[in-house]
């Protein structure tokens, strides 16, 4: 049977068969597309669904959607009047001779162990009415001449040269390179390293869906990344702008054993470098491990000169077996060819599944008759998209057969299976597994007699595959591409000055990528950046920060002069918009601190920095205006006519913020000639304290506290803004400007007002032994308690005369409390606190006020 079919293929081969052979980058596929479009109809068989889809899109632009069909195992777009078919090799309708033009791409794959028999069959039987074109490597030329009588051989030279560039470290691999590895683990490791110091890489593996591969390739082709990491899937069907191909290794596991690549396989992959008239290079990665990671001299010569040993055998398997029984089917599929140019095909996955299930009684017993055997073989030919091996794949096929042998699959069942895979969560490997699984259901849904509502189910499967592919593309991009670093690496060279740098609020963008923030005058690298990226980001920012900082400094200087700058003095530092510009340090005096610019201003260009520091000093002078009364005291203390006593008093007032207890100033020792000088300087001499009224204002006190903090002097804590606030818990020292009255504080001017009023009452009242009375109304209005008011009076030298209590049988108001005054002693003495009793002095005063 096999002999008759081959004889027919040899004797009845139509004329017009042309074999266009040559290395990669010779324009073979482009020529086939042009020839097909020149005919009234045509068909091309491709080795990959990806390549079929790519050419389909190109032909649609030429001929229109209604005239072009796409036929693959998982996807079928078949307009009613389609005249041009783009197919995978397995999906080609070989028996039809209705096409004017037919082409087979990558015909040398007839020597592939898994799919070779398919390409051999297309080589022998796929023919066009007017023209047939066989495209492939020159290695297949002798076998084409032997198997296709009358064939015209056309050899096309490579458009560009291919040169060996030696071994390079990964960090030395030039941009626009493809790094080829032979395991997913190695692909991931290389892509991760490129992400760290080159911004990342696109990833292409055979396990990816065509949509994901296209999306990853688009990242590379658009220039968003300069590197592509791929398995040997790159060697076929991907037209890329690659200048260099680096091999991470020269051996791979082919499904049976670990072996070194053939020279033709090396050339197929290396040939991706250089497109059209642009030359390319190839080499290896150093440090990738393995004893076979360097090219041999003869391999380099063969690749550069495109000289390879010709193929001696093509794999063949009976393309039209009999379906009388399972045994007959298996026998026909294992029948050897009768031509010396052909070799029996190794056991492919479909035949392995068929034989395994035939050996299992329950499944084999259910297959009876010609139609059942044929349908069962079609089920066994379901591709193993999940790449899980014969054992697992045969179980899936067995379950599918149980459903299909009774008829078609229900739409609800298929929809449920598809819905289970419609989940975009998970890591890269999980998403790849789901895509492989949905491709199985897409293949099932495309079969004309397997699924009810075939078109709807096929559309659902394609939609789920699209969503999963988008999610996988996102995961790959997120894991292996750092867009920010990629942008910077492309432009941090001689053209770095052309980078687009701008500020949005405080965020610094380089070429639209966020690399950090400008906080005040300090650049902060994005905290989300990896440690390996920080040096790069700083380098990019420093090239442009000086201009941005100069503009920011000039704007701030202008706003300071206009009085609109939001600068504040906080904890001894000048703070602008929450960022420190400068700090104060002790100077020649408390009122003349030094302004120390913050280190972040060092990055501002010299002239602008100098102008900014001068503006800050001017702002500080304006901010210290409320301390002008203290400045006058400081200046007077240096006058020649001040005398030692007045000079010491003034120095004490300056160091204490214009406020000091009377007994600590020595004011009573001043001679009469110098006392008037205090009044001229604005110093008020009170019964208990000396103070400058202007320094009792909150703003002045706050400024003095800042200066005291800078000078390392205690300043006390600020009280609540009340007339008689409570003493802060745990603080036994009164804040500046306040008198300590036990549990309350009273501002000094208010205390002096109460004492002055008491002295006025003493002067105008009866000053006999019985003493005089005081009106506590003002003290009450100030919020003073009995104990606080009494303590103040006692500090001022007033002593209460407590009246005798009424007799037990007496009635009426208690006698009013009376006071007498004795000049207070100026040395510190323990104070007695009046007992808090109901008939105390303040109670009597309160009763008198009510009366």
């Amino acid at each position: 049977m096999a002999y008759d079919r081959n004889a027919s293929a040899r004797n009845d081969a139509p004329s017009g068969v042309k074999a266009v052979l040559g290395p990669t980058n010779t324009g073979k596929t482009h020529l086939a597309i042009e020839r097909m479009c020149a005919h009234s109809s045509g068909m091309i068989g491709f080795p990959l669904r990806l390549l079929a889809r790519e050419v389909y899109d190109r032909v649609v632009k030429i001929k229109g959607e209604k005239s072009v069909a796409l036929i693959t195992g998982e996807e079928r777009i078949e307009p009613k009047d389609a005249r041009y078919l783009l197919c995978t090799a397995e999906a080609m309708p070989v028996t039809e001779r209705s096409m004017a033009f037919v082409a087979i791409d990558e015909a040398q794959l007839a020597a592939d162990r898994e799919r070779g028999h398919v390409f051999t069959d297309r080589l022998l039987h796929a023919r066009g009415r007017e023209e047939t074109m066989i495209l492939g490597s020159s290695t297949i030329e002798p076998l084409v001449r032997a198997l296709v009588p009358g064939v015209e051989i056309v050899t096309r030279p490579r458009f560009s040269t291919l040169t060996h560039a030696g071994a390079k470290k990964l960090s030395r691999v030039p941009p626009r390179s493809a790094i080829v590895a032979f395991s997913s683990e190695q692909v991931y490791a290389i892509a991760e390293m490129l992400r760290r110091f080159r911004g990342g890489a696109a990833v292409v593996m055979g396990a990816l869906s065509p949509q994901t591969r296209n999306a990853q390739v688009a990242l590379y082709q658009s220039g968003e990344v300069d590197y592509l990491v791929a398995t040997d899937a790159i060697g076929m069907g991907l037209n890329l702008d690659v200048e260099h191909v680096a091999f991470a290794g020269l051996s791979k596991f082919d499904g049976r054993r670990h072996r070194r690549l053939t020279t033709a396989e090396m050339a197929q992959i290396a040939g991706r470098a250089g497109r059209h008239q642009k030359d390319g290079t190839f080499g290896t990665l150093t440090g990738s491990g393995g004893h076979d990671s360097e090219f041999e001299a003869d391999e380099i010569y063969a690749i550069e000169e495109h000289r390879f040993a010709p193929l001696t055998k093509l794999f063949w398997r009976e393309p039209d077996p009999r379906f009388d029984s399972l045994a007959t089917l298996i026998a026909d599929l294992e029948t050897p060819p009768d031509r010396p140019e052909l070799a029996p095909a190794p056991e492919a996955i479909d035949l392995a599944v068929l034989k395994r299930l035939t050996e299992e009684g329950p499944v084999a017993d259910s297959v009876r008759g010609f139609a059942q055997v044929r349908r069962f073989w079609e089920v066994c030919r379901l591709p193993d998209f999940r790449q899980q091996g014969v054992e697992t794949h045969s179980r899936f096929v067995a379950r599918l057969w149980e459903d299909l042998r009774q008829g078609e699959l229900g739409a609800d069942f298929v929809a449920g299976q598809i819905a289970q895979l419609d989940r975009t969560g998970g890591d890269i490997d999980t998403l790849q597994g789901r895509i492989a699984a949905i491709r199985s259901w897409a293949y099932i849904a495309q079969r004309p007699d397997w699924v009810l509502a075939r078109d709807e189910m096929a559309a659902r499967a394609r939609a789920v595959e699209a969503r999963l592919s988008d999610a996988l593309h996102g995961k790959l991009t997120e894991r292996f591409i750092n867009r920010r670093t990629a942008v910077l690496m492309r432009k941090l060279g001689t053209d770095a000055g052309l980078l687009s740098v701008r500020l949005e609020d405080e965020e610094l963008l380089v070429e639209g990528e966020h690399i950090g923030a400008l906080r005040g005058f300090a650049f902060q690298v994005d905290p989300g950046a990896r440690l390996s990226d920080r040096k790069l980001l700083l380098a990019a920012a420093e090239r442009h920060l000086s201009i941005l900082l100069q503009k920011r400094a000039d704007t701030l200087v202008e706003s300071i002069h206009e009085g609109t700058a939001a600068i504040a003095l906080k904890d001894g530092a000048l703070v602008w918009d929450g960022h420190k510009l400068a700090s104060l340090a002790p100077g020649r005096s408390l009122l003349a601190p030094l302004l120390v610019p913050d280190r972040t201003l060092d990055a501002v260009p010299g002239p602008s920095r100098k102008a900014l520091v001068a503006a800050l000093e001017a702002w500080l002078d304006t901010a210290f205006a409320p301390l002008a009364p203290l400045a006058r005291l400081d200046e007077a203390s240096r006058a020649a006519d001040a005398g030692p006593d007045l000079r010491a008093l003034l120095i004490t007032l300056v160091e204490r913020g214009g406020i000091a207890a009377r007994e600590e100033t020595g004011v009573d020792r001043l001679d009469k000639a110098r006392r008037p000088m205090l009044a001229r300087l604005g110093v008020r001499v009170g019964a208990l304290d000396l103070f400058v009224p202007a320094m009792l204002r909150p703003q002045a006190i706050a400024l003095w506290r800042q200066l005291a903090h800078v000078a390392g002097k205690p300043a006390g804590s600020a009280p609540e803004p009340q007339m008689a606030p409570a003493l802060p818990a745990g603080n036994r020292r009164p804040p500046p400007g306040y008198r300590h009255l036990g549990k309350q504080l009273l501002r000094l001017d208010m205390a002096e007002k109460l004492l002055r009023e008491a002295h006025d009452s003493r002067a105008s009242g009866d000053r006999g032994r019985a003493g005089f009375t005081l009106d506590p109304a003002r003290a009450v209005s100030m919020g003073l308690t009995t104990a606080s008011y009494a303590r103040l009076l006692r500090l001022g030298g007033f002593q209460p005369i407590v009246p005798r209590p009424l007799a037990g049988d007496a009635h009426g108001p208690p006698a009013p409390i009376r006071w007498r005054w004795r000049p207070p002693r100026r040395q510190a003495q323990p104070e007695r606190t009046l007992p808090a009793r109901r008939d105390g002095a303040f109670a009597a005063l309160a009763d008198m006020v009510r009366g």
Side-chain angles (χ1 to χ4, degrees), residues 158-428:
R158 182 177 167 88
F159 289 150
S160 60
T161 60
L162 194 59
T163 306
H164 180 244
K168 299 178 185 292
K169 292 181 178 180
L170 183 61
S171 59
R172 300 290 185 180
V173 173
R176 311 310 297 167
S177 292
I179 295 92
V180 180
F182 295 94
S183 70
S184 59
E185 293 80 6
Q186 195 173 27
V187 168
Y188 292 159
I190 293 173
E192 177 63 26
M193 286 189 283
L194 287 173
R195 195 213 76 84
R196 292 180 180 178
F197 56 80
R198 286 292 184 268
V203 174
V204 173
M205 297 184 293
L208 301 183
S209 70
Q211 183 173 340
T212 305
R213 273 184 287 178
N214 284 341
Q216 288 290 303
V217 167
L219 290 176
Y220 176 83
Q221 290 293 85
S222 66
E224 186 165 345
V225 293
D226 279 329
Y227 298 90
L228 180 76
V229 185
T231 60
D232 53 349
I234 192 180
M236 194 173 301
L238 289 175
N239 296 316
L240 302 169
D241 182 21
V242 174
E243 298 177 10
H244 178 77
V245 172
F247 288 76
L250 295 175
S251 61
K252 73 172 185 177
F253 183 74
D254 62 4
R256 296 175 181 269
R257 60 188 178 90
H258 199 79
R259 63 172 177 82
R260 188 177 178 87
L261 300 174
T262 66
T263 308
E265 289 172 332
M266 296 176 184
Q268 185 75 22
I269 297 170
R272 296 299 105 187
R275 303 301 299 169
H276 303 293
Q277 302 297 325
K278 193 171 184 179
D279 296 339
T281 58
F282 68 96
T284 56
L285 286 183
T286 59
S288 57
H291 62 280
D292 59 348
S293 57
E294 292 292 338
F295 286 104
E296 302 291 342
D298 58 339
E299 293 170 338
I300 296 173
Y301 172 79
I303 296 172
E304 290 182 340
E305 300 299 326
H306 316 298
R307 297 180 181 275
F308 310 106
L311 297 174
T312 59
K313 298 283 185 181
L314 299 183
F315 290 119
W316 177 89
R317 190 176 75 181
E318 174 59 55
D320 189 18
R322 295 167 295 169
F323 300 105
D324 300 334
S325 66
L326 290 177
T328 302
L329 172 61
I330 294 174
D332 283 357
L333 292 174
E334 292 183 334
T335 299
D338 59 356
R339 293 291 305 270
E341 300 86 359
L342 304 178
E347 187 177 85
I349 186 72
D350 52 1
L351 179 56
V353 169
L354 172 64
K355 293 171 68 175
R356 176 177 290 271
L357 294 181
T358 300
E359 294 170 358
E360 297 180 4
V363 176
D365 293 343
S366 66
V367 182
R368 292 287 186 270
F370 182 91
Q372 287 273 20
V373 172
R374 181 171 183 172
R375 188 175 179 83
F376 182 63
W377 172 233
E378 290 173 351
V379 175
C380 290
R381 296 185 67 185
L382 172 70
D384 183 18
F385 294 108
R386 295 173 294 177
Q387 298 294 312
Q388 293 182 335
V390 176
E391 182 79 27
T392 301
H393 189 55
S394 63
R395 288 198 296 268
F396 180 77
V397 170
R399 290 194 300 269
L400 179 63
W401 169 249
E402 288 300 320
D403 294 325
L404 282 175
R405 70 187 182 90
Q406 303 296 335
E408 295 175 309
L409 299 177
D412 291 342
F413 171 76
V414 176
Q417 297 297 316
I418 293 173
Q420 288 182 7
L421 299 170
D422 192 6
R423 293 177 288 121
T424 57
D427 57 16
I428 291 174

Side-chain angles (χ1 to χ4, degrees), residues 499-520:
L499 282 170
S500 169
V501 181
R502 69 180 190 277
L503 276 175
E504 289 187 0
D505 295 328
E506 289 191 338
E507 306 307 309
L508 188 62
L509 304 178
V510 178
E511 290 293 315
E513 291 294 331
H514 175 263
I515 68 169
L518 198 59
R519 309 297 187 194

Side-chain angles (χ1 to χ4, degrees), residues 370-581:
F370 182 91
Q372 287 273 20
V373 172
R374 181 171 183 172
R375 188 175 179 83
F376 182 63
W377 172 233
E378 290 173 351
V379 175
C380 290
R381 296 185 67 185
L382 172 70
D384 183 18
F385 294 108
R386 295 173 294 177
Q387 298 294 312
Q388 293 182 335
V390 176
E391 182 79 27
T392 301
H393 189 55
S394 63
R395 288 198 296 268
F396 180 77
V397 170
R399 290 194 300 269
L400 179 63
W401 169 249
E402 288 300 320
D403 294 325
L404 282 175
R405 70 187 182 90
Q406 303 296 335
E408 295 175 309
L409 299 177
D412 291 342
F413 171 76
V414 176
Q417 297 297 316
I418 293 173
Q420 288 182 7
L421 299 170
D422 192 6
R423 293 177 288 121
T424 57
D427 57 16
I428 291 174
D429 292 334
T430 300
L431 289 172
Q432 284 186 215
R434 290 186 192 136
I435 289 175
I438 198 63
R439 289 180 68 186
S440 296
W441 286 103
Y443 182 96
I444 293 169
Q446 294 294 346
R447 300 292 301 181
D449 59 345
W450 284 13
V451 179
L452 295 173
R454 165 192 161 188
D455 293 340
E456 179 186 351
M457 294 302 105
R460 287 194 184 189
R462 287 195 300 269
V464 171
E465 183 181 357
R467 284 192 289 273
L468 292 173
S469 297
D470 290 341
L472 179 57
H473 173 62
K475 289 287 185 182
L476 290 170
T477 303
E478 177 184 354
R479 178 172 173 183
F480 298 123
I481 295 179
N482 185 329
R483 286 190 168 92
R484 172 178 55 204
T485 306
V487 168
L488 297 178
M489 285 304 303
R490 284 201 304 273
K491 297 190 176 181
L492 264 181
T494 57
D495 63 342
L498 301 178
L499 282 170
S500 169
V501 181
R502 69 180 190 277
L503 276 175
E504 289 187 0
D505 295 328
E506 289 191 338
E507 306 307 309
L508 188 62
L509 304 178
V510 178
E511 290 293 315
E513 291 294 331
H514 175 263
I515 68 169
L518 198 59
R519 309 297 187 194
F521 288 88
F523 173 65
Q524 298 177 359
V525 181
D526 181 2
R530 297 195 178 196
L531 183 62
S532 57
D533 296 334
R534 293 179 67 88
K535 185 176 180 180
L536 176 67
L537 300 181
L538 284 170
E542 286 173 356
R543 292 176 180 262
H544 303 274
L545 272 180
S546 59
I547 298 176
L548 296 174
L549 292 175
Q550 180 178 349
K551 291 180 180 179
R552 176 163 286 194
D554 295 343
T555 301
L556 181 56
V557 169
E558 184 178 352
S559 63
I560 290 174
H561 293 329
E562 294 175 353
T564 58
I567 299 177
L569 188 62
K570 184 178 181 181
D571 296 332
L574 275 68
V575 179
W576 171 60
D577 199 21
H579 310 295
K580 186 169 76 170
L581 297 176

